[in-house]
Amino acid sequence: KKKWRCAELLVDSGAVDNVSDPKLFPEYFVRQSEGSKRGMQYLAANNGRIPNQGEQHLCCLRQEGNAFKIRMQSAAVPRPILSVMRLAEYGKEVTFREDGGTICDGKTGRTTDFQKKHGVYVLKAWLLATPEVSESQSEAGFTRQG
């Protein structure tokens, strides 16, 4: 039986990638990404460097009931970040309001609302806590973190 757990993703208009710490989602494999192969590093708000450790492919469910998958770059960040730039590249339109905002899929017209919480924008989603392990995940290059 599938089990789900709640996850909060920061909706960030300044982020260049969707990023999360692999320790936040230990049930998902981390595989090498183009960024980790190249030794890519992210610039933190304090000008520190954060190495790209690979990527995870998360299975999620919106509050509205629509399933979606998201590729998160793995790096030591305190909270998972959803990049508005990446959303726009995938045909999503993001609107910010004082109390929250909306992500609209340009192809389907489906919308997803997010809230403003403690001064940041947060998308609440359900994360599949018991992902299916596929053959491709057990190939070389995939590891579990933790």
Side-chain angles (χ1 to χ4, degrees), residues 41-59:
Q41 297 184 354
Y42 297 102
L43 183 62
N46 65 1
N47 286 327
R49 302 269 175 193
I50 306 170
N52 181 315
Q53 301 170 16
E55 65 187 24
Q56 292 174 298
H57 296 209
L58 308 181
C59 298

Side-chain angles (χ1 to χ4, degrees), residues 62 65-67 92-93 102-112:
R62 295 183 188 106
N66 303 316
K92 313 292 189 238
E93 185 177 301
T102 304
I103 301 169
C104 181
D105 186 312
K107 292 178 185 171
T108 66
R110 286 185 180 152
T111 60
T112 300

Side-chain angles (χ1 to χ4, degrees), residues 4-5 7-12 15-22 25 28-31 33 54-62 66-74 79-90 92 94 103 112 123-128 131 137 142:
W4 299 86
R5 67 177 171 103
E8 290 187 342
L9 309 173
L10 298 182
V11 181
D12 191 333
V16 297
D17 264 325
N18 300 320
V19 182
S20 68
D21 191 320
F25 308 116
Y28 285 88
F29 288 94
V30 175
R31 71 176 200 182
S33 66
E55 65 187 24
Q56 292 174 298
H57 296 209
L58 308 181
C59 298
C60 302
L61 191 64
R62 295 183 188 106
N66 303 316
F68 68 101
K69 291 184 180 179
I70 186 165
R71 180 175 53 199
M72 301 291 280
Q73 297 303 304
S74 299
R79 295 180 68 182
I81 300 167
L82 191 58
S83 166
V84 171
M85 184 179 81
R86 292 287 176 233
L87 289 170
E89 286 176 356
Y90 288 105
K92 313 292 189 238
V94 181
I103 301 169
T112 300
L123 172 67
K124 216 179 250 190
W126 293 96
L127 179 74
L128 185 58
Q137 287 178 319
F142 285 87

